[in-house]
Amino acid sequence: MTYTLPHQSSRGQTVKVCRLMFMNTLGITEKQIRTVLNKKNPVTGVLGREKRGGNQKPEPEKRQKILEHLSKFPRVESHYCRSSSTCEYLSGDLTKRKMYRMFCKENPGCASYSLYRTVMREQNLKFHRPKKDKCGICESYRQMSEAERAKIKDEYLVHRSEIAEVRKLKEESKNRSQSDPTHGAAVFDLQQNIYLPKSNRGELFYKRRLACYNFTIYDLASHEGHCYLSNETITKRGACEVSTYLFDFLQNMDQQGKRTVDLFCDGCVGQNKNSIVAAMCHKFLSESTCVESVTIHFFESNHGQNEGDSIHATIEKCLSRKEEVFHPSQLHSAIAEARQEPEPYRVRHVRTNDKLDWRSYGQNLSILKCRKTSNGMPLDWKKIKQIRVAKNEDLPPVMMFKTSHVDKNFVTLELGSSVCLRSKSHRNPNNDMPTKLYRERPKLALGKYQDLLSLCTGNYPVIAQQDVVEFYQNLPHE
């Protein structure tokens, strides 16, 4: 066997060398030389195909197999950033390694783990525990066979058209509010509970903590975020509380000279879609100087994504960076500082005496007594998609509504008719201001109160600051 190397002075020429110099120059072993010679085709002089890893398939086929496997896993969109994010989220119980092991069981030796990760990254897939329930109609339709889909196709198409229409209405109202100073548009929602104290101490995972509530309203024109902060010993989270927050916000809209206001929210019957909120709108319009109509648009169930979610995401991100938050006043500053541009969020500490009894006010207005519309159509609150209340000083009070966002015209509900009003004393409730909702502060359950106190005691208490300890000691409880 002859060993040669290229000659450095002349192109294409070689020089004969010994075996040892050949191996040392190329940094190879004698075994590697023999392996290459054995793979060399004696006729063509070309090396045979690489056989390490078994019977390898071309990369396009591997990718297709991986994509087929990934498509089997249910995924959801981002809860907070659906409009701007293309990421989709797999179940938080999964991991890349676990998914790859499942893939290998179905396709032994098909692709490497690195290629599997690369394809996942290209598909913008991440792991997440969904913060919002999946839509039953959409998920069922996605998993059904073609024959099963045909049975509910009409219902599904109506559902999707409602989703698209309310989003379109929101965008139109948003654009109008930015160009027309007399029009206001906002979205509102209640953030998920924030529990205090917040700390990395292990004891907290075994104790019940104080639930703090943050009701947010996002102005689509000015991009201002209004936060109404409270906790479970200050207020609850019902329709009367929501109506009080909206009443305060609408008064600000009136002071800004708005004539029409559009509000967008989810269709939670216990908080948003009810006669209590509608009654509040009647009271506000009876006192407003500029606002002439208020329209509330309800998103489709489990499709209530909106710009207001950015407030919640920003606040949660800010709180995740803070190792310790013990007192609600610290929560106030954290929320206010969560965003700096265009301006910090406006945080207001809610007091128990601020809450008004809009439920009793709505009963006096007798909205729930109306079971049929002016044209004899039965009224079902669960099917309402929009509510509009307008100034109507010379005529009996009315409420207009739609059962579909696609409908062009509103249906009128006359609240001043004899069908609705029980007595003459209730014919003009606009003259009466709602009374206070609470006679005293809501109380903590005794077990939760004891858990909070246990965090303030012992040789190594979680809460050591005296003023914070006194705050928890003085919380009302059963």
Side-chain angles (χ1 to χ4, degrees), residues 3-4 15 22-23 84 89 132 156 172 192 226 231 237 291 294 306 308 316 319 325 411 414 436 465:
Y3 299 92
T4 60
V15 57
F22 183 85
M23 292 188 298
S84 60
Y89 293 85
K132 194 175 185 67
Y156 176 75
E172 292 176 349
Q192 290 182 344
H226 301 262
N231 63 66
R237 298 176 297 169
V291 178
V294 176
N306 57 72
E316 289 183 3
L319 290 175
V325 180
V411 178
E414 295 183 359
K436 300 296 182 182
Q465 300 92 327

Side-chain angles (χ1 to χ4, degrees), residues 261-281:
V261 179
D262 282 344
L263 299 175
F264 296 84
C265 64
D266 60 58
C268 176
V269 177
Q271 293 177 335
N272 306 329
K273 190 193 294 187
N274 50 62
S275 62
I276 299 173
V277 175
M280 178 277 300
C281 292

Side-chain angles (χ1 to χ4, degrees), residues 6-41:
H7 196 281
Q8 61 179 3
S9 60
S10 58
R11 187 174 182 180
Q13 295 184 0
T14 59
V15 57
K16 187 176 180 180
V17 297
C18 68
R19 179 174 59 85
L20 184 61
M21 183 177 179
F22 183 85
M23 292 188 298
N24 290 341
T25 302
L26 298 180
I28 59 177
T29 64
E30 187 176 356
K31 182 178 179 180
Q32 289 175 305
I33 296 174
R34 291 197 302 267
T35 301
V36 170
L37 292 176
N38 291 333
K39 290 184 177 181
K40 184 178 178 180
N41 189 306

Side-chain angles (χ1 to χ4, degrees), residues 298-476:
F298 301 105
F299 294 114
E300 280 290 286
S301 298
N302 301 312
H303 292 279
Q305 67 277 11
N306 57 72
E307 293 80 352
D309 291 336
S310 64
I311 301 181
H312 303 165
T314 304
I315 292 172
E316 289 183 3
K317 185 176 181 180
C318 178
L319 290 175
S320 67
R321 294 194 295 263
K322 294 185 177 294
E323 292 186 0
E324 294 183 340
V325 180
F326 294 134
H327 195 280
S329 61
Q330 295 174 283
L331 191 60
H332 181 287
S333 59
I335 293 175
E337 296 169 0
R339 186 187 75 170
Q340 298 299 323
E341 298 293 339
E343 64 178 46
Y345 297 134
R346 300 183 178 183
V347 186
R348 173 177 171 179
H349 261 298
V350 176
R351 299 175 302 175
T352 304
N353 289 335
D354 293 337
K355 296 296 176 292
L356 299 176
D357 187 5
W358 293 105
R359 184 183 303 275
S360 298
Y361 183 86
Q363 291 173 350
N364 290 341
L365 197 58
S366 298
I367 298 179
L368 288 180
K369 290 290 181 179
C370 299
R371 299 300 181 185
K372 293 185 178 181
T373 63
S374 55
N375 58 1
M377 174 182 173
L379 175 61
D380 186 352
W381 281 88
K382 294 181 180 179
K383 295 182 180 180
I384 291 179
K385 304 295 184 182
Q386 294 181 33
I387 292 177
R388 173 173 292 176
V389 182
K391 276 186 175 293
N392 199 19
E393 298 176 353
D394 299 330
L395 297 173
V398 298
M399 182 189 80
M400 295 175 285
F401 68 92
K402 291 182 181 179
T403 56
S404 172
H405 295 292
V406 182
D407 292 343
K408 298 300 181 182
N409 300 318
F410 282 89
V411 178
T412 302
L413 188 68
E414 295 183 359
L415 307 181
S417 65
S418 59
V419 176
C420 299
L421 297 180
R422 292 172 293 174
S423 64
K424 295 182 179 180
S425 61
H426 296 137
R427 289 184 182 275
N428 193 15
N430 292 332
N431 295 330
D432 302 324
M433 191 64 187
T435 58
K436 300 296 182 182
L437 180 61
Y438 298 106
R439 295 182 179 179
E440 59 181 6
R441 290 175 60 182
K443 296 181 179 180
L444 289 175
L446 181 60
K448 176 178 283 193
Y449 177 73
Q450 292 174 342
D451 282 353
L452 290 170
L453 285 188
S454 67
L455 299 174
C456 306
T457 58
N459 295 330
Y460 305 100
V462 175
I463 305 172
Q465 300 92 327
Q466 186 58 35
D467 58 335
V468 182
V469 171
E470 293 178 356
F471 166 77
Y472 285 104
Q473 288 176 340
N474 295 327
L475 290 175

